[in-house]
Amino acid sequence: MSPAAVAVVGGGAAGMMAACAAARAGVQVVLYEQNAVCGKKLRITGKGRCNVTNDCTPAQVMENVARNRKFLYSALSRFSPSDVMAFFEAQGVSLKTERGRRVFPVSDRAADISAALERLLEQLHCPIIREQVQGILYDTGGAVRGLYTRSGGEHPHPAAVIATGGISYPATGSRGDGHRMAKEAGLHVTPLAGSLIPVVCRESTREWAGLSPRNVRLTVKRNGKIVFAQQGEMLFTHYGVSGPLVLSASAHMQEGNVADYQMSIDWKPALTEEALDARLLADLRKYAARDFINSLGDLLPRAMIPAVVERSGIPPRIKAGAVTREMRSSLLSVLKNFSLTPVAFRPVEEAIVTCGGVDVKEIDPKTMMARRVPGLFFAGEILDLDAYTGGYNLQIAWSTGHLAGLGAAQYMLERTIPHRLPPAAPFAQGGL
């Protein structure tokens, strides 16, 4: 092992990309990964399919970042979604774009993404050390001089990229070790919580569990002010709600207590109240001889009908043809504003990403190096950056990992060969 090698701590998406970028820029790199395989969390993303990125512009990525989006300007400019797609295509992974501009491997195998990065690391002669890093070593001036591992060994490295992830999915190895190291270096770490996380509701939802309505509109308010409103798909569970809409909404519910928020569902967002009333009237006339509770099957999922009828206040056994205009008005209100009461988030272990992390004010956005600790770089979920669903969080990992790798390489090269800088976008043209 060369004492002049850059150390990358963490073999996830950001860490492997950082190692590839630094090695491609002309420096020696050693990757430390405690798991038997790299990319353990990467392999389970997108339900095992891996939503690699989103086929959009850097500006559109930033629009979908929940916190500290401006910090990402340099990282996304240096390694955009189109650069990410070109990179993986060059490594032999064919990609496809699906609904919502989401990009996946054609194979629908997340393992293909991780394997492509591991192959490139091998081609770039980057060794992987299967040890758990315990901490960073510093010289008398406060700059990085190496690290020490759980086995007790000290390893000299003048630069280190910390890409150990957040605290979600701890079974993959993300247990907050990097946040501890950042604190030990004197850096501020913002409070950690789960984001893109299911929501527990006060209402009993067991009878609706498994129901997955599409094309509904979910609105979330706090103190009467709308903080989230979007149309799409959600999922009812035995404890509350989940699915794409709810996971994205949870990223907007991190301020204060979750119980401060109110959720409501518009079951027919494509219809105005007038159009929906006309539709209701037509269905009630069509099934005039049926009990009211048995007349809504064309309009609603069967499992949801009893709850809607109960909330409407309309007697369930009244004949559909006897439903009055006032009753229809009450039913319309329920259909356009079906309320749910959040009481808690599910355990952080069920979160897709972490909210909070190393304060980006501590980090130079052009290099990913800590402003007060020479040679210490950060990338990926360990930073206080998180986005909505759709491939944006992995794009953050790729972009910050790429820039941290370049930043570490630049730092090393300036120590040995002044004024020699790594290329601006080493993967944009593909290949090695």
Side-chain angles (χ1 to χ4, degrees):
M1 185 188 305
S2 168
V6 170
V8 175
V9 183
M16 286 193 284
M17 186 60 77
C20 290
R24 179 66 181 84
V27 299
Q28 291 180 293
V29 182
V30 176
L31 176 64
Y32 290 82
E33 170 52 54
Q34 62 182 323
N35 291 319
V37 296
C38 289
K40 196 170 182 180
K41 183 176 178 181
L42 182 61
R43 292 166 184 264
I44 62 174
T45 59
K47 297 180 180 178
R49 297 178 61 217
C50 189
N51 186 178
V52 180
T53 185
N54 191 283
D55 188 6
C56 64
T57 66
Q60 289 171 316
V61 174
M62 291 171 65
E63 289 172 2
N64 285 276
V65 175
R67 272 161 289 279
N68 301 315
R69 60 185 61 173
K70 292 182 179 179
F71 175 82
L72 287 166
Y73 180 82
S74 292
L76 289 167
S77 297
R78 298 290 292 270
F79 204 49
S80 68
S82 61
D83 293 325
V84 170
M85 289 186 283
F87 166 73
F88 283 108
E89 293 274 5
Q91 304 312 315
V93 181
S94 298
L95 302 175
K96 60 182 177 181
T97 302
E98 297 185 358
R99 180 175 55 88
R101 305 177 308 213
R102 291 169 166 83
V103 178
F104 294 88
V106 170
S107 66
D108 285 330
R109 285 172 41 88
D112 290 350
I113 297 297
S114 183
L117 290 163
E118 291 182 89
R119 285 195 304 271
L120 183 55
L121 288 171
E122 184 176 1
Q123 294 168 25
L124 292 169
H125 307 291
C126 174
I128 301 175
I129 308 299
R130 304 291 179 180
E131 285 199 65
Q132 182 179 355
V133 173
Q134 291 289 91
I136 310 299
L137 301 169
Y138 303 94
D139 63 22
T140 55
V144 172
R145 68 175 178 86
L147 49 81
Y148 59 96
T149 59
R150 188 174 185 178
S151 64
E154 293 191 2
H155 307 271
H157 296 288
V161 178
I162 310 302
T164 52
I167 57 173
S168 62
Y169 290 109
T172 63
S174 299
R175 301 183 182 91
D177 292 342
H179 297 118
R180 173 182 52 78
M181 295 178 206
K183 291 178 181 178
E184 291 171 351
L187 305 183
H188 178 239
V189 175
T190 62
L192 304 176
S195 187
L196 302 187
I197 186 169
V199 175
V200 180
C201 295
R202 179 180 300 158
E203 296 81 4
S204 175
T205 57
R206 286 185 175 275
E207 293 183 3
W208 314 331
L211 179 63
S212 183
R214 300 189 177 193
N215 297 320
V216 296
R217 185 173 184 82
L218 178 66
T219 300
V220 179
K221 294 182 179 181
R222 184 172 188 248
N223 298 325
K225 181 181 178 181
I226 295 176
V227 298
F228 176 86
Q230 197 172 100
Q231 188 170 328
E233 181 180 351
M234 60 185 294
L235 172 68
F236 285 93
T237 69
H238 68 280
Y239 54 76
V241 285
S242 185
L245 274 181
V246 174
L247 297 180
S248 287
S250 70
H252 297 263
M253 301 167 65
Q254 299 295 330
E255 187 176 335
N257 193 298
V258 65
D260 297 335
Y261 296 84
Q262 305 83 41
M263 307 176 82
S264 66
I265 302 168
D266 182 346
W267 289 98
K268 298 295 176 182
L271 299 178
T272 64
E273 285 200 13
E274 293 77 12
L276 182 54
D277 187 38
R279 165 72 187 277
L280 278 174
L281 189 57
D283 283 359
L284 292 171
R285 287 172 176 169
K286 179 180 178 181
Y287 300 114
R290 292 186 183 182
D291 290 346
F292 170 61
I293 197 169
N294 296 323
S295 68
L296 301 176
D298 294 349
L299 190 69
L300 289 168
R302 190 164 300 279
M304 190 55 60
I305 291 175
V308 170
V309 170
E310 181 181 1
R311 292 190 182 198
S312 74
I314 302 172
R317 296 303 170 187
I318 191 176
K319 295 304 178 184
V323 172
T324 66
R325 178 183 297 178
E326 290 74 18
M327 290 176 177
R328 291 205 318 275
S329 178
S330 177
L331 180 58
L332 278 171
S333 180
V334 174
L335 292 172
K336 299 297 278 186
N337 186 22
F338 188 90
S339 62
L340 293 170
T341 310
V343 293
F345 290 125
R346 291 289 288 175
V348 68
E349 290 82 4
E350 296 181 30
I352 293 178
V353 296
T354 303
C355 170
V358 177
D359 192 335
V360 296
K361 294 185 180 70
E362 302 272 13
I363 308 299
D364 183 345
K366 295 183 178 180
T367 63
M368 294 291 136
M369 187 168 77
R371 296 182 186 276
R372 296 181 286 133
V373 187
L376 185 61
F377 298 79
F378 292 88
E381 195 177 342
I382 190 173
L383 293 163
D384 186 11
L385 297 164
D386 62 285
Y388 314 136
T389 58
Y392 304 109
N393 285 289
L394 265 182
Q395 180 62 48
I396 291 174
W398 305 133
S399 293
T400 58
H402 173 262
L403 188 54
L406 288 184
Q410 176 177 324
Y411 178 81
M412 295 288 288
L413 293 171
E414 287 180 339
R415 288 164 57 94
T416 56
I417 309 175
H419 309 302
R420 178 184 169 189
L421 301 180
F427 301 129
Q429 289 75 40
L432 297 177

